[in-house]
Amino acid sequence: MPRKFGEIAFTPEVEAAQSQRGSRQTYERYIANGPANDSITLEIAEFIAHLDGFYLGTVSSNGYPYIQFRGGAPGFLKVLNEKTLGFADFSGNVQYITVGNLEGEAKAFLFLMDYRQRRRIKVWGKAEYVEGDSALIERLRIPGYPAKVERAILFHVEALSENCSQHIPIRYSATEVEAMMAPLVARIEELEQKLDEFTPHTLSDRNSV
């Protein structure tokens, strides 16, 4: 089990709950012997490059968590280096809740989910928004996507943890379903064309009997 994950997630209250329920010793051993898991590996970078969406969590000044789904073309969440992720923040409903939350508290959370592969990665860290940096915005811009980029959001990784796949439903995007169906659709069209060509001859043969 990742050491940095335990240092962040296992607060005194969580440790007390584990002790009361008999799991504290096991987790103490895992954390003591586990790797740090506080950097983006090549494997995780490849996983991120295929994502077309993720969940971003921030914390408001009144202590409530706020979760947003962010979606885009695969690769819009970019690995800038082994400790930093970034993405373009587009014009939206102008509520600016994430921006406001990050003004007061940088602590943030990413929940990365691949339903097709039944794989999820949780990322703890600190986030910031950057406005007016045209070079950074261009680096994060999605080619061919027309939406206006208002700012960049950077996520500084402190800990990562990958869960088991239990209870994750398998889901496919419309694009993935279309790609899987394409050979079948092509075959159906081919057979329909052959049927259209075959039918007149068949009727003619029957009429001549």
Side-chain angles (χ1 to χ4, degrees):
M1 176 166 288
R3 186 172 68 254
K4 290 295 184 179
F5 153 67
E7 292 174 359
I8 294 175
F10 295 166
T11 62
E13 294 79 11
V14 172
E15 291 181 356
Q18 292 171 350
S19 297
Q20 292 169 7
R21 293 159 179 81
S23 65
R24 183 63 202 147
Q25 279 189 325
T26 300
Y27 282 117
E28 280 183 340
R29 184 170 64 253
Y30 284 155
I31 296 302
N33 299 323
N37 277 35
D38 58 354
S39 300
I40 301 165
T41 63
L42 290 176
E43 181 188 4
I44 293 176
E46 184 178 352
F47 170 81
I48 290 173
H50 292 88
L51 294 178
D52 60 1
F54 60 89
Y55 300 91
L56 170 66
T58 56
V59 184
S60 66
S61 60
N62 58 13
Y64 282 92
Y66 180 70
I67 307 296
Q68 267 193 331
F69 176 79
R70 297 299 183 104
F76 81 101
L77 177 61
K78 299 184 183 298
V79 178
L80 302 181
N81 57 56
E82 66 175 8
K83 292 284 191 179
T84 310
L85 300 170
F87 62 93
D89 189 28
F90 302 110
S91 300
N93 58 15
V94 299
Q95 290 183 347
Y96 300 118
I97 297 176
T98 294
V99 170
N101 286 350
L102 293 178
E103 284 279 7
E105 176 56 74
K107 291 177 183 176
F109 183 83
L110 290 177
F111 193 91
L112 312 179
M113 175 70 82
D114 183 340
Y115 288 100
R116 180 177 180 181
Q117 303 298 330
R118 300 184 71 225
R119 187 180 180 191
R120 59 188 166 197
I121 297 178
K122 297 180 288 188
V123 191
W124 286 260
K126 292 183 173 65
E128 62 175 316
Y129 69 88
V130 180
E131 296 179 336
D133 188 333
S134 57
L136 177 60
I137 288 175
E138 283 304 313
R139 187 177 178 186
L140 298 176
R141 188 184 299 276
I142 300 173
Y145 193 66
K148 178 184 177 183
V149 180
E150 290 192 343
R151 65 190 58 81
I153 293 183
L154 301 179
F155 190 98
H156 305 288
V157 177
E158 295 184 355
L160 301 102
S161 176
E162 182 170 356
N163 283 81
C164 69
S165 60
Q166 187 177 15
H167 303 309
I168 299 177
I170 298 176
R171 293 175 180 167
Y172 296 90
S173 68
T175 301
E176 290 170 334
V177 172
E178 288 174 1
M180 289 186 290
M181 292 294 294
L184 298 176
V185 172
R187 180 58 175 162
I188 290 171
E189 291 175 349
E190 179 187 355
L191 293 174
E192 287 179 340
Q193 183 178 356
K194 288 183 177 180
L195 183 61
D196 290 340
E197 295 171 353
F198 178 75
T199 301
H201 298 291
T202 305
L203 293 175
S204 177
D205 292 341
R206 287 180 178 177
N207 291 334
S208 62
V209 174

